[in-house]
Amino acid sequence: MNFYLDIYYRLFILFRILLFYYISCCLISVRAYPKLCNLISLQGINIVGPSNAEPLPQPPCPAMYQLDIVLKKGKNLAIRDRTGTSDPYVKFKIAGKEVFRSKTIHKNLNPVWDERVSLLVETLREPLYVKVFDYDFGLQDDFMGSAYLYLESLETLDVTLDLKDPQYPDNNLGTLELAVTLTPKEGDVRDATMLLRRNWKRSSKYQSMRLSDVHRKAQLWRGIVSISLIEGRGLQPMDANGLSDPYVKFRMGHQKYKSKTIPKTLNPQWREQFDFHLYDEQGGYVDITVWDKDAGKKDDFMGRCTIDLSLLSKEHTHKLDVPLEEGEGVLVLLVTLTASAAVSISDLSVNMLDDPHERRQITQRYSLWRSLHNLKDVGVVQVKVIRAEGLMAADVTGKSDPFCVVELSNDRLQTHTVYKNLNPEWNKVFTFNVKDIHSVLEVTVYDEDRDRSADFLGKVAIPLLNIQNGERKAYALKSKELTGPTKGVIFLEIDVIFNAVKAGLRTLIPIEQKYIEEEPRVSKQLLLRNFNRVRRCIMFLINTGCYINSCFEWDSPQRSICAFVLFVIVVWNFELYMIPLALLLPLAWNYILIASGKDTRQDVVMEDLLEDEDEDFDKDDKDSERKGFMNKLYAIQDVCISVQNALDEVASYGERIKNTFNWTVPFLSWLAIVALGVSTIIIYFIPLRYIVLAWGVNKFTKKLRDPYTIDNNELLDFLSRVPSDVQVVGELYIFYVFLASQLSLLKLIF
């Protein structure tokens, strides 16, 4: 009996496996057939049966749809902050993937976004999931409601969505107003998907996109918008002291800037300039928000304003006094719209510098005779991105989908993507205007991922002043921090033409700020590296001081005699022109070393940096990793102790100087009065040249007169007797304890 039951059980299991396999095949065929049909139709292939049979009826392939949405505004949204307001923003999701995120409107329950987004959807069966959140700085954002938009109509609709909480469906959380347009879209789905997707995110990472004609035009800006932030007047007080620490944020599309913070004022003076790229010929909007900086907590919102660039004339500077909405005060701005810069993307066969006539015109434009014409236009750089070889495999197939991004300051242009290739050829030419000859040209290679952010493959950074014109060169790709190599090389050919006079004048103007990027994170390696850099600078100063002191100590009689004679000659014949002359000497000496090929500065710097990065190469071995972790822990402890002691010493000397003038120790203050009075009389009656000469002779001969004397510094010795604030508090505490003990003793006696 058990034998038959076992057979029946095995047959039953086999039947379930076959049934599951059949259902899975059916589901896969149902899902895959529309995409396969669409792909075959794009290639112009018909699905037919055998040659003697009639063609099978081809089911209609689902078309792609372009979904255009205008997020207008919200009404009566939920309160999520203790102040009775919220900071709402909106997310759109399709099939579980986030496709759009709006900007945050601060302290408003009836926000107006007026943002537009274009998406491509493959099917109308998936609804658009709309969620609203309240932004909380440093905390998890609060949920404010959600709604579904079902894509069933192919016409323009004004939609009002009622926001609900699935856990509490009876609660009314307000409404959202949208304008939705759904239209059929024909063409290459693969290329069009990324072109129409405008997914703005806070991260500055590059999203996946393919370079077609539409994208090529979208990359090229039509002009430059220069905004000078002059000042603020009558801003709203946000702190308990009746003042504020204001700073300003600018945003125009994906371009963002942040000004410096002016502490404790309601009438700040910024005097900063920011340049934006203007992509729309009709103009655009610049969103400006003012914030109060609060250390350790969320910054306070102080107001906002918007500049409509379509109302401003070009090639003219406009002074604007813009009042702040949702706040108090006025911002004073200078706004200038200039014509398009000479920026372009072309194929390798078509570029301007290869044409002798155009090259001659560009050379004449940046000749010395035109040095005072348009000082902002320093020069032009042309970058030929030819190909890359031996790139890193970023996909599971052992291949990559590489594209290249070329950056010069805030100017960014991008090549097309070469799919499934580790040795791509782009053959593109990029042209930029040079606004600062000290800028660094950055060329970064990414791997395109359709559904997520692009993967980093390698990067090179080339200062414009180090470029050899017309030289086709292979550059080894490096890591993001440019501290170590990565896999692959890229072939570039770069030409730079600039005006030396304009470049020199531009050097005396503040450097162009970079767009706002991600906030820097705490890094142990970065902390140690920066500490070592500071330590090397301090050690250089200490070694220089020790070398000078060795001349006073007569460690080498020949060196001390030469130093003494040189000191006497320089002090006796000193004139002010000798100061820049002395600074010219090390410049001339280093130039001679470089010209003779004996310069080893870069080797020393690279050795120091590589020495700091040694611990990063032991990650494969677990024992090495544990030892590396303990070494890092001890190193961080040493860094903290060194910084702690250095800060204590600097603060102590500052407090001792203050306490000298505060009469904390009256005897020392009287002693300082006597010393300063005598110094004043001596300097008044005796020329400074003789005083310095007498000091130097005494310093040089001190060791000869008394070989066993102890070297000292009279000023530091004096300050060491003055107590710091910590010592003063400690002495007062001891005094109060002593006084309390005496009082208690008197109580016991009497």
Side-chain angles (χ1 to χ4, degrees):
M1 187 68 178
N2 292 334
F3 174 74
Y4 292 109
L5 289 176
D6 185 60
I7 292 176
Y8 289 147
Y9 177 74
R10 292 176 182 273
L11 291 175
F12 176 70
I13 295 297
L14 180 61
F15 173 75
R16 289 181 61 185
I17 292 174
L18 293 174
L19 180 62
F20 178 78
Y21 178 77
Y22 174 75
I23 294 174
S24 301
C25 292
C26 292
L27 290 175
I28 291 173
S29 62
V30 168
R31 292 181 178 178
Y33 183 76
K35 295 183 179 179
L36 178 63
C37 179
N38 191 17
L39 179 61
I40 293 174
S41 64
L42 289 173
Q43 301 295 330
I45 302 175
N46 293 325
I47 302 177
V48 297
S51 58
N52 57 353
E54 295 182 359
L56 295 176
Q58 182 178 351
C61 295
M64 295 293 293
Y65 296 91
Q66 178 176 337
L67 179 63
D68 297 316
I69 305 175
V70 180
L71 175 61
K72 294 183 176 179
K73 58 184 178 181
K75 288 185 178 180
N76 301 323
L77 299 185
I79 298 174
R80 290 292 183 264
D81 294 339
R82 287 179 294 180
T83 57
T85 60
S86 296
D87 306 318
Y89 67 89
V90 182
K91 287 184 178 181
F92 292 164
K93 289 187 176 182
I94 295 180
K97 296 179 181 178
E98 182 180 331
V99 294
F100 172 75
R101 178 173 179 168
S102 74
K103 63 184 178 183
T104 302
I105 306 296
H106 295 273
K107 301 185 184 303
N108 201 325
L109 299 180
N110 298 283
V112 178
W113 286 284
D114 195 21
E115 293 189 55
R116 293 167 174 79
V117 60
S118 296
L119 307 169
L120 280 184
V121 294
E122 298 181 3
T123 176
L124 300 182
R125 291 192 296 269
E126 293 286 349
L128 179 71
Y129 188 30
V130 182
K131 300 177 74 174
V132 184
F133 291 90
D134 168 61
Y135 174 71
D136 287 329
F137 178 78
L139 303 173
Q140 184 177 0
D141 295 344
D142 300 321
F143 178 72
M144 297 180 62
S146 63
Y148 284 96
L149 177 63
Y150 296 94
L151 310 176
E152 300 174 351
S153 177
L154 298 180
E155 59 183 25
T156 302
L157 296 175
D158 290 328
V159 180
T160 301
L161 298 178
D162 295 324
L163 299 176
K164 298 292 183 181
D165 188 344
Q167 297 182 356
Y168 307 97
D170 296 334
N171 292 351
N172 183 16
L173 301 180
T175 60
L176 286 182
E177 293 186 8
L178 310 174
V180 184
T181 304
L182 191 63
T183 55
K185 187 69 178 176
E186 302 295 338
D188 189 350
V189 176
R190 189 179 185 186
D191 286 338
T193 302
M194 301 311 301
L195 295 180
L196 292 175
R197 181 178 178 182
R198 294 172 55 195
N199 185 7
W200 181 83
K201 291 187 176 181
R202 297 181 185 179
S203 172
S204 62
K205 295 179 180 178
Y206 291 94
Q207 304 298 319
S208 306
M209 54 182 67
R210 294 169 170 83
L211 186 67
S212 66
D213 291 336
V214 175
H215 183 213
R216 186 194 305 266
K217 294 178 182 177
Q219 288 193 86
L220 304 181
W221 48 94
R222 312 300 174 89
I224 301 293
V225 181
S226 297
I227 299 180
S228 297
L229 175 62
I230 305 301
E231 62 181 1
R233 299 174 185 166
L235 300 184
Q236 183 177 356
M238 305 299 294
D239 297 336
N241 56 7
L243 300 173
S244 296
D245 307 316
Y247 67 90
V248 181
K249 288 184 177 181
F250 298 86
R251 179 186 169 196
M252 181 179 175
H254 67 279
Q255 306 170 79
K256 297 181 290 179
Y257 284 111
K258 179 180 176 181
S259 75
K260 60 186 177 184
T261 302
I262 308 298
K264 295 181 175 52
T265 181
L266 299 180
N267 301 285
Q269 302 281 330
W270 283 287
R271 302 292 197 273
E272 293 184 82
Q273 179 175 326
F274 309 94
D275 291 339
F276 294 88
H277 292 154
L278 185 62
Y279 293 90
D280 189 357
E281 292 181 348
Q282 304 301 323
Y285 293 90
V286 180
D287 296 322
I288 304 173
T289 53
V290 184
W291 300 84
D292 170 59
K293 182 71 175 179
D294 286 330
K297 58 180 181 178
K298 182 179 177 181
D299 296 345
D300 298 323
F301 176 75
M302 298 179 63
R304 72 172 62 252
C305 59
T306 303
I307 300 177
D308 186 356
L309 299 179
S310 61
L311 303 178
L312 304 179
S313 58
K314 295 183 178 180
E315 307 298 338
H316 180 69
T317 300
H318 306 266
K319 182 181 179 183
L320 304 179
D321 295 342
V322 187
L324 294 177
E325 303 173 3
E326 307 173 30
E328 300 176 4
V330 174
L331 290 183
V332 180
L333 308 170
L334 296 179
V335 183
T336 307
L337 279 68
T338 57
S340 174
V343 56
S344 66
I345 306 175
S346 62
D347 294 326
L348 195 60
S349 58
V350 182
N351 63 88
M352 60 180 184
L353 292 184
D354 284 351
D355 185 351
H357 178 68
E358 290 193 15
R359 191 181 187 96
R360 194 180 309 111
Q361 286 185 338
I362 294 174
T363 305
Q364 291 177 356
R365 192 196 338 172
Y366 298 109
S367 64
L368 292 177
W369 302 108
R370 298 175 60 85
S371 297
L372 300 180
H373 178 73
N374 192 5
L375 294 178
K376 292 185 177 180
D377 186 14
V378 174
V380 64
V381 58
Q382 178 179 274
V383 185
K384 295 180 182 178
V385 182
I386 301 167
R387 69 181 189 277
E389 292 181 358
L391 296 180
M392 187 189 308
D395 298 336
V396 293
T397 59
K399 300 289 184 180
S400 295
D401 304 323
F403 66 93
C404 189
V405 176
V406 185
E407 302 178 61
L408 185 66
S409 296
N410 286 320
D411 300 343
R412 296 180 176 95
L413 295 176
Q414 175 181 323
T415 69
H416 60 284
T417 302
V418 179
Y419 296 99
K420 309 298 180 187
N421 203 323
L422 299 180
N423 302 290
E425 292 190 9
W426 292 289
N427 292 324
K428 294 296 178 183
V429 181
F430 300 92
T431 306
F432 298 94
N433 259 87
V434 177
K435 292 176 282 187
D436 190 349
I437 197 60
H438 307 284
S439 300
V440 177
L441 180 70
E442 296 182 358
V443 182
T444 312
V445 182
Y446 293 94
D447 169 68
E448 180 184 302
D449 284 327
R450 181 171 181 176
D451 296 326
R452 49 195 181 88
S453 299
D455 297 325
F456 176 84
L457 296 181
K459 177 181 181 180
V460 295
I462 310 165
L464 294 183
L465 288 174
N466 292 353
I467 291 173
Q468 300 292 330
N469 284 349
E471 179 184 7
R472 182 169 297 189
K473 187 176 178 181
Y475 295 88
L477 296 175
K478 297 183 179 180
S479 60
K480 285 185 179 180
E481 296 79 15
L482 299 172
T483 55
T486 186
K487 193 175 181 182
V489 296
I490 187 169
F491 290 84
L492 306 173
E493 183 180 330
I494 311 173
D495 287 272
V496 180
I497 299 175
F498 67 97
N499 182 288
V501 176
K502 293 182 181 180
L505 294 176
R506 184 64 178 84
T507 306
L508 307 177
I509 300 175
I511 192 171
E512 181 182 5
Q513 296 191 32
K514 295 281 286 186
Y515 292 151
I516 297 177
E517 298 179 352
E518 291 181 343
E519 292 293 332
R521 299 179 180 178
V522 177
S523 170
K524 297 187 293 292
Q525 289 82 7
L526 187 60
L527 176 63
L528 292 174
R529 187 195 307 160
N530 291 340
F531 176 77
N532 289 331
R533 291 165 58 195
V534 175
R535 185 179 62 183
R536 282 193 292 270
C537 296
I538 294 175
M539 290 304 298
F540 172 77
L541 297 177
I542 292 175
N543 292 334
T544 304
C546 291
Y547 182 83
I548 296 174
N549 190 62
S550 68
C551 297
F552 297 141
E553 297 291 331
W554 292 83
D555 294 340
S556 173
Q558 295 85 357
R559 184 173 61 198
S560 297
I561 292 174
C562 293
F564 178 70
V565 173
L566 180 64
F567 173 79
V568 172
I569 293 174
V570 170
V571 172
W572 185 260
N573 299 284
F574 179 78
E575 299 293 342
L576 283 178
Y577 72 85
M578 293 184 180
I579 296 178
L581 179 62
L583 297 177
L584 283 175
L585 294 178
L587 289 171
W589 174 252
N590 288 328
Y591 179 79
I592 294 172
L593 290 179
I594 295 172
S596 61
K598 298 180 180 180
D599 183 33
T600 59
R601 294 167 302 141
Q602 295 299 326
D603 297 337
V604 173
V605 172
M606 288 304 298
E607 287 177 4
D608 292 337
L609 290 177
L610 291 175
E611 196 175 309
D612 298 337
E613 300 292 332
D614 280 343
E615 296 177 356
D616 296 337
F617 296 99
D618 298 331
K619 296 182 180 179
D620 295 333
D621 188 5
K622 293 184 179 179
D623 295 335
S624 299
E625 187 174 349
R626 293 195 189 104
K627 293 179 181 177
F629 175 75
M630 295 304 298
N631 291 336
K632 291 177 183 177
L633 190 61
Y634 291 137
I636 291 175
Q637 183 177 354
D638 293 340
V639 169
C640 294
I641 293 174
S642 301
V643 172
Q644 172 182 299
N645 294 336
L647 293 177
D648 176 66
E649 189 170 355
V650 172
S652 296
Y653 275 111
E655 292 168 355
R656 285 167 177 164
I657 294 173
K658 178 195 71 173
N659 292 336
T660 301
F661 292 93
N662 284 348
W663 294 81
T664 302
V665 180
F667 177 79
L668 294 175
S669 298
W670 279 113
L671 191 60
I673 289 176
V674 173
L676 293 174
V678 172
S679 301
T680 304
I681 296 172
I682 292 175
I683 295 174
Y684 181 78
F685 287 102
I686 302 175
L688 184 62
R689 187 192 309 273
Y690 299 136
I691 296 174
V692 174
L693 192 61
W695 172 86
V697 170
N698 174 68
K699 199 74 174 174
F700 272 102
T701 60
K702 190 174 184 180
K703 198 71 173 180
L704 296 176
R705 289 184 278 110
D706 186 1
Y708 303 105
T709 185
I710 299 175
D711 193 22
N712 68 317
N713 186 304
E714 292 79 5
L715 179 60
L716 295 181
D717 293 339
F718 172 83
L719 290 176
S720 65
R721 268 68 173 186
V722 182
S724 64
D725 288 350
V726 176
Q727 294 172 333
V728 169
V729 172
E731 291 172 359
L732 289 176
Y733 177 74
I734 294 173
F735 173 74
Y736 289 145
V737 171
F738 173 76
L739 185 62
S741 64
Q742 296 298 319
L743 290 175
S744 61
L745 182 62
L746 289 174
K747 288 181 180 179
L748 290 175
I749 294 175
F750 295 102

